[in-house]
Amino acid sequence: MTPLRLRYWDARLHAAVGALPESPADRWLRRLTRSADHGRLWFAVALLLALRRGPSRRAALRGLGSLSVASAVVNTVLKRVFGRVRPDMANLSAGRALPRAPHTFSFPSGHSASAGAFATGVLLESPPAGALVGPLALAVGYSRVHVGVHYPGDVVSGLAIGAGVALAGQRLRPPPPAPPAAPAPALPGGAGLVVATTPAAAAGIRRLLPDAEVLDRGPDVLRDAARGGRARALGVAGDGDAVAAAAAVAAEHGLPLAVFGGTGPLGRTPEGTAAAVAAGSAVAVDVAEVDVAEVDVAEGDGALVAGPVVVGLRLPPGPRAAARALREATPVGVVVDGRPAEVWALSVAPGRSGGPLDVRCVRADVPFARLRAVLAPGGRPVPAGREVRVHLWSGPRPVHLDGRAREAATSFAVRARPPLVVYRPR
């Protein structure tokens, strides 16, 4: 449809709303649209939300932040770029007309942009609060057409721009805090370090740390070195399973761990890890112990993970990709510590400093479940302690440990552990 045709239908819709007969709703819609002047309505709603800690208070802050950005973009940039004049209000009834007609440009609607940004920002942090605020935002948008100061296209565009600003802000979350520094012995040349590695990586580690004891075998040899007392620190090079097994041994004996290569919270380049070992530079990494039924995760009782344990759908980044994945997915039936639920995804991550585990779920048994999953892919927090037991009553599903998919299982347990000291360059 051409821009001229769009303007024609926009004017027709505006005229149709203006021709509606007078009713008591005129007075209330006029009051509603005036209450939203300069964001006063949304500041009042934010104050009510902020009275309660947790997601409600975060929703208020995110809503106001989104509103501020959207209002600035629309009122200082977009209105001047498009320069659309306001509708003709000569024939508007006295019961609808505002005491003072706006003198700014019409497209897009600033009131609608603020409403869309605030409601979407609230929804991202607290879906229940967003479900209550959303209809109010739509009512504010319609009120701008009802009192004659905007075309319907102005309102729809404003709502879309505001929602887009809030969604863009979702990707600007501050990065998680860096792990705190932790004491570890400085081992110049690697003296006192016992490393379990693959034959292919052994020569490179010996070149970087000539005094280290480098064993080109699996991580099971580290337990003997730790028990024998000849190791002041342990090291590992290999795949994710080898790193998890070595981390379990290091945690069991209270020794720092050096990871040569790999990705994730524990891995670093061999050169960087060697420099950190020589300088005694280390951090405390939050970890948890995982026991997965029917899956041999590691030597001993369980594997240590520094990232989340996930079952169900791993939502790809981006609303469009997430929506496409959700259309083809099926929910997972879980029982978390005796509480049943249907979820798109459930994640259990280590808590801060060995505290309660961070459990989050993207629920599938609530209204607008797919929309909530797209807007808030991280999921909502679930109250948890230092141990969580999960049973999959909908059948075996793959369990992802630190981003690696394992064999399908029907149950697993995650226990909080004290932070693990890991060599890492400053």
Side-chain angles (χ1 to χ4, degrees):
M1 190 176 292
T2 63
L4 185 61
R5 197 70 176 166
L6 286 174
R7 284 177 175 269
Y8 168 76
W9 283 109
D10 212 12
R12 287 287 300 272
L13 286 172
H14 181 268
V17 173
L20 293 174
E22 294 187 13
S23 70
D26 296 342
R27 181 174 68 241
W28 292 107
L29 287 169
R30 187 172 61 179
R31 288 179 178 176
L32 177 62
T33 201
R34 292 185 65 189
S35 72
D37 290 347
H38 307 294
R40 290 196 301 264
L41 172 63
W42 308 120
F43 280 102
V45 174
L47 180 60
L48 293 175
L49 292 174
L51 294 177
R52 186 176 181 181
R53 293 183 179 180
S56 180
R57 185 169 295 179
R58 293 197 300 272
L61 294 175
R62 180 171 289 277
L64 290 179
S66 302
L67 179 153
S68 302
V69 176
S71 178
V73 169
V74 167
N75 292 312
T76 63
V77 179
L78 297 183
K79 282 183 180 289
R80 297 181 181 181
V81 170
F82 291 98
R84 188 181 191 182
V85 298
R86 297 274 179 175
D88 183 7
M89 295 180 284
N91 298 323
L92 195 68
S93 66
R96 292 193 187 184
L98 296 176
R100 292 170 53 187
H103 298 293
T104 58
F105 291 117
S106 182
F107 182 90
S109 166
H111 282 66
S112 301
S114 296
F118 183 83
T120 305
V122 169
L123 180 65
L124 290 172
E125 293 291 347
S126 175
L132 296 175
V133 175
L136 183 60
L138 294 176
V140 168
Y142 171 75
S143 72
R144 303 302 289 173
V145 180
H146 195 84
V147 300
V149 296
H150 278 294
Y151 293 102
D154 304 339
V155 169
V156 172
S157 300
L159 289 171
I161 291 169
V165 167
L167 289 171
Q170 175 76 352
R171 305 207 170 270
L172 299 179
R173 287 179 178 269
L187 306 176
L193 175 69
V194 180
V195 185
T197 181
T198 62
I205 296 175
R206 290 192 180 101
R207 176 178 55 80
L208 294 170
L209 297 171
D211 297 331
E213 183 180 350
V214 181
L215 308 173
D216 53 357
R217 281 173 282 170
D220 54 309
V221 299
L222 297 179
R223 184 170 278 106
D224 296 333
R227 288 172 178 169
R230 70 177 191 271
R232 299 181 63 192
L234 302 179
V236 63
D239 59 14
D241 291 338
V243 173
V249 176
E252 177 186 353
H253 294 276
L255 295 174
L257 179 68
V259 181
F260 296 86
T263 59
L266 301 182
R268 285 296 183 270
T269 63
E271 294 77 10
T273 299
V277 169
S281 173
V283 296
V285 176
D286 294 315
V287 293
E289 183 181 32
V290 185
D291 282 330
V292 183
E294 305 163 12
V295 177
D296 182 17
V297 291
E299 293 287 338
D301 295 334
L304 282 194
V305 294
V309 182
V310 181
V311 290
L313 179 66
R314 295 179 63 83
L315 287 176
R320 182 177 300 178
R324 188 182 305 114
L326 285 166
R327 282 199 302 268
E328 303 170 355
T330 56
V332 180
V334 300
V335 179
V336 183
D337 286 343
R339 301 187 299 269
E342 278 195 322
V343 301
W344 297 114
L346 173 77
S347 69
V348 184
R352 298 289 297 169
S353 304
L357 296 167
D358 180 17
V359 182
R360 296 177 180 271
C361 71
V362 183
R363 299 194 60 152
D365 54 358
V366 296
F368 307 106
R370 283 184 169 87
L371 177 61
R372 294 183 182 205
V374 171
L375 295 180
R380 299 191 63 192
V382 177
R386 292 174 52 83
E387 181 173 355
V388 170
R389 295 185 176 274
V390 180
H391 176 70
L392 310 179
W393 57 262
S394 62
R397 291 294 182 96
V399 178
H400 299 262
L401 304 181
D402 275 343
R404 309 184 314 278
R406 306 304 303 257
E407 299 174 28
T410 55
S411 62
F412 63 90
V414 184
R415 288 178 289 275
R417 294 291 300 267
L420 176 68
V421 177
V422 178
Y423 282 106
R424 180 171 299 175
R426 290 189 179 91

